[in-house]
Amino acid sequence: MTDYVVAPPAISAVPIKGSDKLFPVRRIFCVGRNYAEHAIEMGSDPTREPPFYFAKPADALVINDGDMPYPSMSKSLHHEMELVVAIGVGGSDISVADALKHVWGYCSGLDMTRRDIQNEAKKTGRPWDMGKGFDHSAPMGALVPAAGVDPSQGKIELKVNGKVTQTSDLSKLIWSVPEVISNLSHLVRLEPGDLIMTGTPEGVAAVVKGDVLEGFVEGVGSVKTKIL
Ligand code: MN
């Protein structure tokens, strides 16, 4: 048995709906600007951009409807409601046609963003990590197996304190789930345990302490968190 000099990190995991088993998380990849209306609200041209990615650490997960502490060093915490893809079978250079065979399942997730830090990073050409990949920045609901989920369509919606702030449909993804998996697998070898947050529709906005966020993707399930 290996002797580590400090305790090895715990394995982050997402619960599975209706099961005691867990999905162990290796990496969390996120797609930037993948709905046209959101790209426009962020000041970009949605027609000209290939997909691009950033990442969150696996231990940024918040599960089981857990609370999310308001992050340090920010005065602008934004919600981004997203469909999350869980990779069950690894691979590189995956074709679009084969992509869905690599999916274990799907869940609803929130790409919580320190928008002020991200905007400053954009302005100065610096990395987005501290705007996106901070502690507790990835609340996620339970996973459902891929069989029976059609990721090409379905309502995606977020309510803050019971009021709808984001509403769209998966059919409006600029890069579809198979296209994202294929494209990303040409950049890195995808492995079982990888999660991909597929991008947020329009309507992103700031939240404050006490707000309750409840999102769902039709046919997939919900995610819920309260900002502390
Ligand atoms: Mn996002």
Side-chain angles (χ1 to χ4, degrees):
M1 193 176 149
T2 309
D3 245 349
Y4 296 104
V5 296
V6 297
I11 294 174
S12 286
V14 185
I16 291 160
K17 203 176 199 168
S19 166
D20 292 334
K21 292 186 178 177
L22 299 172
F23 181 88
V25 177
R26 185 171 189 268
R27 296 173 289 188
I28 305 174
F29 296 106
C30 307
V31 186
R33 296 192 283 262
N34 202 17
Y35 289 82
E37 293 302 319
H38 174 61
I40 291 165
E41 79 180 349
M42 300 307 283
S44 308
D45 180 346
T47 62
R48 302 203 166 268
E49 220 175 28
F52 69 95
Y53 306 92
F54 55 92
K56 293 174 186 271
D59 63 5
L61 276 181
V62 177
I63 56 169
N64 296 327
D65 297 347
D67 298 330
M68 177 190 174
Y70 198 97
S72 61
M73 303 297 285
S74 178
K75 290 189 165 59
S76 183
L77 175 64
H78 272 211
H79 58 68
E80 295 192 359
M81 178 63 203
E82 313 203 357
L83 170 71
V84 183
V85 178
I87 298 294
V89 178
S92 48
D93 301 338
I94 298 166
S95 69
V96 172
D98 283 342
L100 293 184
K101 296 175 190 162
H102 293 261
V103 177
W104 189 91
Y106 300 92
C107 69
S108 287
L110 287 161
D111 167 16
M112 299 302 291
T113 302
R114 285 162 161 160
R115 192 71 73 201
D116 42 2
I117 292 180
Q118 185 203 22
N119 285 344
E120 188 60 29
K122 282 184 188 173
K123 233 186 288 173
T124 53
R126 289 180 181 156
W128 287 9
D129 298 46
M130 293 302 113
K132 288 289 196 178
F134 53 93
D135 300 340
H136 313 289
S137 61
M140 283 187 200
L143 278 169
V144 295
V149 177
D150 173 7
S152 71
Q153 55 174 345
K155 190 174 183 178
I156 178 168
E157 187 168 278
L158 180 73
K159 289 179 181 172
V160 178
N161 303 325
K163 196 179 155 211
V164 175
T165 56
Q166 292 190 268
T167 186
S168 188
D169 195 282
L170 299 179
S171 61
K172 295 186 178 172
L173 281 166
I174 297 170
W175 301 95
S176 68
V177 169
E179 287 170 339
V180 165
I181 292 168
S182 174
N183 182 269
L184 182 56
S185 78
H186 284 78
L187 289 162
V188 291
R189 183 184 162 81
L190 292 175
E191 298 288 354
D194 288 338
L195 297 177
I196 306 171
M197 305 193 76
T198 55
T200 196
E202 67 275 19
V204 301
V207 294
V208 297
K209 289 181 184 182
D211 282 350
V212 175
L213 284 60
E214 289 179 278
F216 79 92
V217 177
E218 186 182 352
V220 171
S222 61
V223 57
K224 183 178 178 183
T225 192
K226 181 178 180 179
I227 310 298
L228 290 189

